Amino acid sequence: MKISIEKLTFECIIGILDFERTNEQKVVIDISFEYDFLNEENFIDYSKISSEVEEFMKKEKFELLENAVINVDKYLNKNYPIKNLKIKISKPDILKNCIVSIEH
């Protein structure tokens, strides 16, 4: 079974510049993974994953997108029986004419 969580959008502290450490910025996260669905007893609750990732990002206040992607990856792999995890974190408003994203 493959699950995709797309365009999970919220604001958090992320970045290295002074204004990035004091003002929350919008981030957009796309997550996809596979798992072995056997029956209703072993399903993975994607709404729980969405809220946990948002809570984790807000709590950690990462300085670099690279660290955020790596740590979200570790968190999900540790807490869920998943395979082929892909994560993309974007800061759509940080630069004037483009969106900055990191994938792992």
PDB file of all heavy atoms in Angstrom, residues 79-99:
ATOM      1  N   ASN A  79       9.028   5.314  14.247  1.00  0.00           N
ATOM      2  CA  ASN A  79       7.711   5.162  14.863  1.00  0.00           C
ATOM      3  C   ASN A  79       6.680   4.418  14.023  1.00  0.00           C
ATOM      4  O   ASN A  79       5.598   4.112  14.532  1.00  0.00           O
ATOM      5  CB  ASN A  79       7.165   6.541  15.254  1.00  0.00           C
ATOM      6  CG  ASN A  79       7.962   7.136  16.391  1.00  0.00           C
ATOM      7  OD1 ASN A  79       7.931   6.632  17.497  1.00  0.00           O
ATOM      8  ND2 ASN A  79       8.715   8.189  16.094  1.00  0.00           N
ATOM      9  N   TYR A  80       7.004   4.137  12.766  1.00  0.00           N
ATOM     10  CA  TYR A  80       6.031   3.478  11.896  1.00  0.00           C
ATOM     11  C   TYR A  80       6.712   2.396  11.058  1.00  0.00           C
ATOM     12  O   TYR A  80       7.849   2.576  10.613  1.00  0.00           O
ATOM     13  CB  TYR A  80       5.361   4.496  10.974  1.00  0.00           C
ATOM     14  CG  TYR A  80       4.502   5.477  11.723  1.00  0.00           C
ATOM     15  CD1 TYR A  80       5.004   6.712  12.123  1.00  0.00           C
ATOM     16  CD2 TYR A  80       3.193   5.159  12.058  1.00  0.00           C
ATOM     17  CE1 TYR A  80       4.211   7.603  12.839  1.00  0.00           C
ATOM     18  CE2 TYR A  80       2.399   6.040  12.774  1.00  0.00           C
ATOM     19  CZ  TYR A  80       2.916   7.257  13.160  1.00  0.00           C
ATOM     20  OH  TYR A  80       2.133   8.126  13.876  1.00  0.00           O
ATOM     21  N   PRO A  81       6.013   1.297  10.782  1.00  0.00           N
ATOM     22  CA  PRO A  81       6.575   0.223   9.951  1.00  0.00           C
ATOM     23  C   PRO A  81       6.414   0.548   8.463  1.00  0.00           C
ATOM     24  O   PRO A  81       5.560   0.009   7.773  1.00  0.00           O
ATOM     25  CB  PRO A  81       5.737  -0.996  10.354  1.00  0.00           C
ATOM     26  CG  PRO A  81       4.398  -0.419  10.713  1.00  0.00           C
ATOM     27  CD  PRO A  81       4.693   0.930  11.328  1.00  0.00           C
ATOM     28  N   ILE A  82       7.248   1.460   7.988  1.00  0.00           N
ATOM     29  CA  ILE A  82       7.106   1.961   6.621  1.00  0.00           C
ATOM     30  C   ILE A  82       8.351   1.643   5.803  1.00  0.00           C
ATOM     31  O   ILE A  82       9.417   1.362   6.335  1.00  0.00           O
ATOM     32  CB  ILE A  82       6.829   3.478   6.608  1.00  0.00           C
ATOM     33  CG1 ILE A  82       7.950   4.256   7.308  1.00  0.00           C
ATOM     34  CG2 ILE A  82       5.480   3.769   7.253  1.00  0.00           C
ATOM     35  CD1 ILE A  82       7.781   5.749   7.285  1.00  0.00           C
ATOM     36  N   LYS A  83       8.181   1.746   4.482  1.00  0.00           N
ATOM     37  CA  LYS A  83       9.272   1.522   3.532  1.00  0.00           C
ATOM     38  C   LYS A  83       9.237   2.638   2.492  1.00  0.00           C
ATOM     39  O   LYS A  83       8.202   3.255   2.271  1.00  0.00           O
ATOM     40  CB  LYS A  83       9.106   0.180   2.824  1.00  0.00           C
ATOM     41  CG  LYS A  83       9.058  -1.020   3.731  1.00  0.00           C
ATOM     42  CD  LYS A  83       8.879  -2.288   2.933  1.00  0.00           C
ATOM     43  CE  LYS A  83       7.434  -2.421   2.523  1.00  0.00           C
ATOM     44  NZ  LYS A  83       7.037  -3.715   2.023  1.00  0.00           N
ATOM     45  N   ASN A  84      10.369   2.838   1.857  1.00  0.00           N
ATOM     46  CA  ASN A  84      10.466   3.772   0.726  1.00  0.00           C
ATOM     47  C   ASN A  84       9.923   5.156   1.058  1.00  0.00           C
ATOM     48  O   ASN A  84       9.180   5.753   0.271  1.00  0.00           O
ATOM     49  CB  ASN A  84       9.759   3.196  -0.500  1.00  0.00           C
ATOM     50  CG  ASN A  84      10.355   1.884  -0.934  1.00  0.00           C
ATOM     51  OD1 ASN A  84      11.571   1.696  -0.882  1.00  0.00           O
ATOM     52  ND2 ASN A  84       9.515   0.952  -1.339  1.00  0.00           N
ATOM     53  N   LEU A  85      10.318   5.672   2.199  1.00  0.00           N
ATOM     54  CA  LEU A  85       9.876   6.995   2.637  1.00  0.00           C
ATOM     55  C   LEU A  85      10.529   8.082   1.803  1.00  0.00           C
ATOM     56  O   LEU A  85      11.739   8.068   1.577  1.00  0.00           O
ATOM     57  CB  LEU A  85      10.225   7.184   4.118  1.00  0.00           C
ATOM     58  CG  LEU A  85       9.947   8.552   4.734  1.00  0.00           C
ATOM     59  CD1 LEU A  85       8.459   8.883   4.689  1.00  0.00           C
ATOM     60  CD2 LEU A  85      10.458   8.586   6.171  1.00  0.00           C
ATOM     61  N   LYS A  86       9.716   9.016   1.337  1.00  0.00           N
ATOM     62  CA  LYS A  86      10.197  10.196   0.618  1.00  0.00           C
ATOM     63  C   LYS A  86       9.580  11.418   1.276  1.00  0.00           C
ATOM     64  O   LYS A  86       8.367  11.461   1.529  1.00  0.00           O
ATOM     65  CB  LYS A  86       9.810  10.130  -0.849  1.00  0.00           C
ATOM     66  CG  LYS A  86      10.533   9.023  -1.574  1.00  0.00           C
ATOM     67  CD  LYS A  86      10.257   9.057  -3.051  1.00  0.00           C
ATOM     68  CE  LYS A  86      11.144   8.044  -3.706  1.00  0.00           C
ATOM     69  NZ  LYS A  86      10.495   7.037  -4.451  1.00  0.00           N
ATOM     70  N   ILE A  87      10.413  12.406   1.541  1.00  0.00           N
ATOM     71  CA  ILE A  87       9.958  13.635   2.195  1.00  0.00           C
ATOM     72  C   ILE A  87      10.491  14.825   1.406  1.00  0.00           C
ATOM     73  O   ILE A  87      11.659  14.853   1.013  1.00  0.00           O
ATOM     74  CB  ILE A  87      10.480  13.731   3.645  1.00  0.00           C
ATOM     75  CG1 ILE A  87      10.024  12.526   4.461  1.00  0.00           C
ATOM     76  CG2 ILE A  87      10.021  15.028   4.302  1.00  0.00           C
ATOM     77  CD1 ILE A  87      10.698  12.419   5.805  1.00  0.00           C
ATOM     78  N   LYS A  88       9.628  15.798   1.218  1.00  0.00           N
ATOM     79  CA  LYS A  88      10.021  17.062   0.581  1.00  0.00           C
ATOM     80  C   LYS A  88       9.483  18.182   1.454  1.00  0.00           C
ATOM     81  O   LYS A  88       8.290  18.223   1.755  1.00  0.00           O
ATOM     82  CB  LYS A  88       9.441  17.156  -0.824  1.00  0.00           C
ATOM     83  CG  LYS A  88       9.744  18.451  -1.534  1.00  0.00           C
ATOM     84  CD  LYS A  88       9.105  18.427  -2.925  1.00  0.00           C
ATOM     85  CE  LYS A  88       9.242  19.735  -3.637  1.00  0.00           C
ATOM     86  NZ  LYS A  88       8.551  19.696  -4.945  1.00  0.00           N
ATOM     87  N   ILE A  89      10.376  19.071   1.883  1.00  0.00           N
ATOM     88  CA  ILE A  89       9.973  20.226   2.676  1.00  0.00           C
ATOM     89  C   ILE A  89      10.298  21.476   1.866  1.00  0.00           C
ATOM     90  O   ILE A  89      11.430  21.657   1.417  1.00  0.00           O
ATOM     91  CB  ILE A  89      10.674  20.278   4.042  1.00  0.00           C
ATOM     92  CG1 ILE A  89      10.367  19.017   4.848  1.00  0.00           C
ATOM     93  CG2 ILE A  89      10.256  21.527   4.817  1.00  0.00           C
ATOM     94  CD1 ILE A  89      11.062  18.941   6.198  1.00  0.00           C
ATOM     95  N   SER A  90       9.309  22.340   1.708  1.00  0.00           N
ATOM     96  CA  SER A  90       9.459  23.564   0.919  1.00  0.00           C
ATOM     97  C   SER A  90       9.172  24.788   1.767  1.00  0.00           C
ATOM     98  O   SER A  90       8.322  24.761   2.651  1.00  0.00           O
ATOM     99  CB  SER A  90       8.484  23.564  -0.266  1.00  0.00           C
ATOM    100  OG  SER A  90       8.663  22.429  -1.065  1.00  0.00           O
ATOM    101  N   LYS A  91       9.905  25.857   1.467  1.00  0.00           N
ATOM    102  CA  LYS A  91       9.638  27.177   2.043  1.00  0.00           C
ATOM    103  C   LYS A  91       9.205  28.063   0.864  1.00  0.00           C
ATOM    104  O   LYS A  91      10.047  28.617   0.165  1.00  0.00           O
ATOM    105  CB  LYS A  91      10.877  27.730   2.737  1.00  0.00           C
ATOM    106  CG  LYS A  91      11.208  27.007   4.026  1.00  0.00           C
ATOM    107  CD  LYS A  91      12.561  27.369   4.626  1.00  0.00           C
ATOM    108  CE  LYS A  91      12.751  28.804   4.947  1.00  0.00           C
ATOM    109  NZ  LYS A  91      14.012  29.075   5.683  1.00  0.00           N
ATOM    110  N   PRO A  92       7.901  28.168   0.634  1.00  0.00           N
ATOM    111  CA  PRO A  92       7.432  28.849  -0.577  1.00  0.00           C
ATOM    112  C   PRO A  92       7.599  30.363  -0.574  1.00  0.00           C
ATOM    113  O   PRO A  92       7.580  30.972  -1.646  1.00  0.00           O
ATOM    114  CB  PRO A  92       5.954  28.468  -0.641  1.00  0.00           C
ATOM    115  CG  PRO A  92       5.585  28.163   0.758  1.00  0.00           C
ATOM    116  CD  PRO A  92       6.814  27.582   1.393  1.00  0.00           C
ATOM    117  N   ASP A  93       7.790  30.968   0.581  1.00  0.00           N
ATOM    118  CA  ASP A  93       7.808  32.428   0.643  1.00  0.00           C
ATOM    119  C   ASP A  93       9.168  33.019   1.009  1.00  0.00           C
ATOM    120  O   ASP A  93       9.272  34.224   1.200  1.00  0.00           O
ATOM    121  CB  ASP A  93       6.766  32.917   1.656  1.00  0.00           C
ATOM    122  CG  ASP A  93       5.367  32.457   1.306  1.00  0.00           C
ATOM    123  OD1 ASP A  93       5.072  32.310   0.102  1.00  0.00           O
ATOM    124  OD2 ASP A  93       4.571  32.238   2.231  1.00  0.00           O
ATOM    125  N   ILE A  94      10.216  32.199   1.094  1.00  0.00           N
ATOM    126  CA  ILE A  94      11.492  32.702   1.591  1.00  0.00           C
ATOM    127  C   ILE A  94      12.243  33.543   0.558  1.00  0.00           C
ATOM    128  O   ILE A  94      12.882  34.519   0.901  1.00  0.00           O
ATOM    129  CB  ILE A  94      12.379  31.565   2.137  1.00  0.00           C
ATOM    130  CG1 ILE A  94      13.541  32.133   2.936  1.00  0.00           C
ATOM    131  CG2 ILE A  94      12.868  30.657   1.043  1.00  0.00           C
ATOM    132  CD1 ILE A  94      13.152  32.906   4.155  1.00  0.00           C
ATOM    133  N   LEU A  95      12.181  33.185  -0.717  1.00  0.00           N
ATOM    134  CA  LEU A  95      12.825  33.974  -1.759  1.00  0.00           C
ATOM    135  C   LEU A  95      11.763  34.621  -2.629  1.00  0.00           C
ATOM    136  O   LEU A  95      10.649  34.116  -2.763  1.00  0.00           O
ATOM    137  CB  LEU A  95      13.754  33.096  -2.608  1.00  0.00           C
ATOM    138  CG  LEU A  95      14.941  32.489  -1.861  1.00  0.00           C
ATOM    139  CD1 LEU A  95      15.752  31.586  -2.799  1.00  0.00           C
ATOM    140  CD2 LEU A  95      15.821  33.561  -1.258  1.00  0.00           C
ATOM    141  N   LYS A  96      12.125  35.719  -3.230  1.00  0.00           N
ATOM    142  CA  LYS A  96      11.170  36.556  -3.955  1.00  0.00           C
ATOM    143  C   LYS A  96      10.507  35.858  -5.142  1.00  0.00           C
ATOM    144  O   LYS A  96       9.311  35.937  -5.317  1.00  0.00           O
ATOM    145  CB  LYS A  96      11.894  37.818  -4.426  1.00  0.00           C
ATOM    146  CG  LYS A  96      11.015  38.854  -5.039  1.00  0.00           C
ATOM    147  CD  LYS A  96      11.823  40.091  -5.352  1.00  0.00           C
ATOM    148  CE  LYS A  96      10.939  41.161  -5.958  1.00  0.00           C
ATOM    149  NZ  LYS A  96      11.691  42.378  -6.226  1.00  0.00           N
ATOM    150  N   ASN A  97      11.280  35.149  -5.952  1.00  0.00           N
ATOM    151  CA  ASN A  97      10.735  34.639  -7.219  1.00  0.00           C
ATOM    152  C   ASN A  97      10.769  33.122  -7.363  1.00  0.00           C
ATOM    153  O   ASN A  97      10.717  32.612  -8.479  1.00  0.00           O
ATOM    154  CB  ASN A  97      11.521  35.256  -8.394  1.00  0.00           C
ATOM    155  CG  ASN A  97      11.351  36.761  -8.443  1.00  0.00           C
ATOM    156  OD1 ASN A  97      10.262  37.242  -8.196  1.00  0.00           O
ATOM    157  ND2 ASN A  97      12.401  37.465  -8.726  1.00  0.00           N
ATOM    158  N   CYS A  98      10.892  32.392  -6.232  1.00  0.00           N
ATOM    159  CA  CYS A  98      10.956  30.945  -6.350  1.00  0.00           C
ATOM    160  C   CYS A  98      10.583  30.268  -5.037  1.00  0.00           C
ATOM    161  O   CYS A  98      10.446  30.928  -4.011  1.00  0.00           O
ATOM    162  CB  CYS A  98      12.338  30.493  -6.805  1.00  0.00           C
ATOM    163  SG  CYS A  98      13.647  30.861  -5.647  1.00  0.00           S
ATOM    164  N   ILE A  99      10.443  28.978  -5.091  1.00  0.00           N
ATOM    165  CA  ILE A  99      10.193  28.143  -3.914  1.00  0.00           C
ATOM    166  C   ILE A  99      11.444  27.328  -3.663  1.00  0.00           C
ATOM    167  O   ILE A  99      11.993  26.726  -4.584  1.00  0.00           O
ATOM    168  CB  ILE A  99       8.980  27.207  -4.150  1.00  0.00           C
ATOM    169  CG1 ILE A  99       7.716  28.041  -4.365  1.00  0.00           C
ATOM    170  CG2 ILE A  99       8.819  26.236  -2.997  1.00  0.00           C
ATOM    171  CD1 ILE A  99       6.523  27.213  -4.822  1.00  0.00           C
TER     172      ILE A  99
END
